[in-house]
Amino acid sequence: MKKFTFALLILLISLSFSFTACGNSYERMIEEFDGKYFSAEPKVDDSNSVKNKNFNQKQMLNPDYVFTEGYFISLEAPDNCDSYLWTCTNSEVEKEVIGTKQKLYYEIPGVFKMGEINTLILTVTAADEDGSITEYIDESVIIIKAQKNLD
């Protein structure tokens, strides 16, 4: 009976050491995984920001858009700007402001004219770290098409 108790004691001690070792390696594995895929500080997505080192002002808008009469458009300017100015030009309108926020939500046609070449101009300004203000401008051709009746 003594041998059996001694063997059982040795087995329990061995199992407790192995579980302790597994627990430490499990914790280490979790910490390594977290360190590889997560950061303690939140990451800022600057892909659509003037602060992005690869920012190109000629990519703020598509070169052209085709919008359907009677619908609303929704366009978004880059992040981290101090001011936003959306303007339109065509043969009837020299330059009309249609928005001053980062997101343009606008009903078509509005000042845009069907059968004409309309130009949408986005102008944003942003202050650098040293306080100097930079202006970014992009233009897009807007074509308006008539809404089809489904009757």
Side-chain angles (χ1 to χ4, degrees):
M1 183 77 174
K2 277 184 164 182
K3 288 184 179 182
F4 177 73
T5 307
F6 183 71
L8 185 59
L9 183 61
I10 297 292
L11 180 65
L12 288 174
I13 292 172
S14 302
L15 285 174
S16 68
F17 281 135
S18 61
F19 283 127
T20 304
C22 288
N24 287 339
S25 65
Y26 177 76
E27 291 296 324
R28 192 171 351 110
M29 179 183 70
I30 295 295
E31 288 173 7
E32 288 174 2
F33 178 84
D34 287 346
K36 185 174 181 182
Y37 295 105
F38 301 104
S39 66
E41 296 295 320
K43 292 183 181 176
V44 177
D45 179 21
D46 69 348
S47 59
N48 187 32
S49 171
V50 293
K51 308 256 187 244
N52 182 344
K53 64 180 178 180
N54 296 324
F55 177 75
N56 181 352
Q57 69 180 350
K58 292 302 178 189
Q59 293 178 344
M60 291 192 298
L61 298 173
N62 289 340
D64 55 57
Y65 294 97
V66 177
F67 296 125
T68 303
E69 174 185 40
Y71 285 80
F72 282 86
I73 61 170
S74 179
L75 298 174
E76 186 173 352
D79 297 325
N80 300 319
C81 296
D82 298 316
S83 70
Y84 301 91
L85 183 64
W86 301 85
T87 55
C88 168
T89 62
N90 56 34
S91 65
E92 292 183 18
V93 177
E94 184 154 324
K95 196 171 202 180
E96 184 164 331
V97 175
I98 59 174
T100 58
K101 299 189 186 254
Q102 181 182 9
K103 294 181 182 180
L104 176 66
Y105 190 64
Y106 192 77
E107 185 175 10
I108 298 298
V111 295
F112 299 110
K113 301 298 174 199
M114 287 183 49
E116 291 187 24
I117 295 177
N118 303 279
T119 304
L120 177 65
I121 304 165
L122 171 59
T123 306
V124 298
T125 59
D128 297 339
E129 292 83 24
D130 60 356
S132 63
I133 295 177
T134 307
E135 184 176 79
Y136 303 99
I137 300 172
D138 194 10
E139 295 183 1
S140 179
V141 173
I142 305 293
I143 299 170
I144 307 300
K145 67 179 186 174
Q147 185 177 15
K148 294 183 180 180
N149 290 335
L150 298 175
D151 298 336

